[in-house]
Amino acid sequence: MKSISNHKRILRPICLLFLVGILCLLVPMRVYATDTDNDGETDERTYEDEPGTAQTGRDNADLNVGDSFTVTVDQGNGTINGALRILIILTLIGIAPMLLIMLTSFTRIIIVLHFTRTALNTQTAPPNQVLLGLALFLTIYIMAPVFAQIYTNAIQPLDEGKITQEEALKEGITPLREFMYRQTQVKDTATLMEIAGHEWDGVTADDVPTSVLIPSFILSELRAAFIIGFLIYIPFLVIDMVVASILMSMGMMMLPPTTISMPFKILLFVLADGWNLIIVNLVKTFN
């Protein structure tokens, strides 16, 4: 019972923060009341009668009740009502982690970092939380110019009412498409274009649909990450082989080679400033 009570105490502030986050993401809307007395002309007030004219309790109850009203979003430029806007925001919150992982540099970074830890044979050092945090901040660093273009070209003009939602979506996806296309190998795109039944000259990025570009980008990222991971594995594999050969020559067959080789791996990694070499060169692969 004590454990359940502790969980409830933890979940309550989390739910409250989640609700506040949703409300903060809502775009401010200007609401205008129109034609409250049904005379065909726009009114500036929402009450039917002047204040202080109520004679009975029923009049007092009906004093500030309008028969009909309309809502104009962003001076007529908005096309989404409040309920649909909340639904879209909740949907984006749900798929945001997937978009962050699959449509950015996050996939390549986290796979390379896991290869590095496995090659060192340190099991849980660094822990998963550290690797995920490092991959996340490196992703933000790499994707910062793309995010800045999306904000400048799509989010800010849409918030000011200068472009429609369709135009904002097109302007927002363009920088992300350019980033993905630069990191995608031509053979992956050509293969998926052929499977989808689309013709492509192998050069023009505008002819590649987003539905084809995204899986092509993911496939290229997986290939690049495994190639980098293999290159990282080679020096550590050599150390394992040397240690295993020495132990066999000494007749120490029952002693696991990995137990002896791990300190030498860590020593080599530290002396070579391994984290700097891996992270810096990994970031450079996205240039």
Side-chain angles (χ1 to χ4, degrees):
M1 297 298 294
K2 186 177 181 180
S3 177
I4 295 176
S5 177
N6 292 333
H7 286 304
K8 288 183 178 180
R9 292 178 182 177
I10 296 174
L11 288 175
R12 286 176 182 175
I14 292 176
C15 294
L16 180 61
L17 291 174
F18 182 77
L19 179 60
V20 172
I22 293 175
L23 295 177
C24 292
L25 289 174
L26 294 178
V27 179
M29 297 184 298
R30 297 181 180 179
V31 180
Y32 304 91
T34 60
D35 197 15
T36 57
D37 50 7
N38 296 323
D39 60 356
E41 297 180 358
T42 301
D43 300 331
E44 297 180 355
R45 299 175 298 189
T46 58
Y47 51 79
E48 293 179 337
D49 302 318
E50 294 290 336
T53 59
Q55 300 295 327
T56 63
R58 182 177 180 82
D59 294 340
N60 188 41
D62 296 338
L63 182 61
N64 294 325
V65 179
D67 293 332
S68 63
F69 65 94
T70 59
V71 176
T72 302
V73 180
D74 292 336
Q75 299 181 353
N77 294 323
T79 58
I80 301 180
N81 60 26
L84 185 57
R85 187 187 298 271
I86 294 176
L87 177 62
I88 293 175
I89 291 175
L90 292 176
T91 303
L92 291 176
I93 292 175
I95 65 174
M98 181 183 65
L99 296 177
L100 178 63
I101 292 174
M102 306 308 298
L103 303 186
T104 63
S105 58
F106 186 89
T107 301
R108 186 190 305 183
I109 295 173
I110 194 63
I111 291 176
V112 170
L113 292 179
H114 272 283
F115 266 112
T116 304
R117 186 178 68 179
T118 305
L120 286 170
N121 196 29
T122 55
Q123 302 299 326
T124 59
N128 291 331
Q129 292 84 350
V130 174
L131 293 184
L132 289 173
L134 180 59
L136 178 60
F137 283 105
L138 287 176
T139 300
I140 295 175
Y141 172 77
I142 294 171
M143 301 296 297
V146 178
F147 293 154
Q149 292 182 27
I150 293 175
Y151 178 79
T152 303
N153 299 337
I155 298 178
Q156 189 174 7
L158 177 64
D159 186 51
E160 296 174 354
K162 296 180 179 179
I163 59 177
T164 62
Q165 294 162 5
E166 292 78 9
E167 293 173 340
L169 180 61
K170 182 179 179 181
E171 293 293 333
I173 197 66
T174 299
L176 193 59
R177 279 178 53 89
E178 293 176 354
F179 169 80
M180 290 191 294
Y181 185 76
R182 290 198 307 269
Q183 306 300 325
T184 304
Q185 295 190 13
V186 176
K187 62 178 181 180
D188 295 329
T189 306
T191 301
L192 291 179
M193 286 287 287
E194 182 180 355
I195 294 174
H198 299 296
E199 295 183 357
W200 186 49
D201 57 3
V203 178
T204 308
D206 295 336
D207 296 337
V208 181
T210 304
S211 58
V212 175
L213 181 59
I214 291 177
S216 303
F217 169 74
I218 296 173
L219 183 59
S220 298
E221 286 294 285
L222 290 174
R223 178 186 292 107
F226 273 76
I227 292 174
I228 297 173
F230 172 75
L231 296 176
I232 293 174
Y233 240 105
I234 292 177
F236 299 105
L237 181 61
V238 172
I239 295 177
D240 285 334
M241 294 175 62
V242 171
V243 172
S245 300
I246 294 175
L247 291 177
M248 289 181 63
S249 64
M250 296 175 62
M252 304 175 65
M253 305 294 296
M254 301 302 295
L255 185 63
T258 55
T259 304
I260 306 300
S261 64
M262 186 176 68
F264 293 100
K265 291 180 180 180
I266 297 176
L267 179 62
L268 173 64
F269 195 73
V270 172
L271 292 178
D273 196 7
W275 287 116
N276 180 73
L277 289 175
I278 291 175
I279 292 176
V280 171
N281 287 282
L282 182 59
V283 172
K284 289 181 178 180
T285 60
F286 292 96
N287 294 335

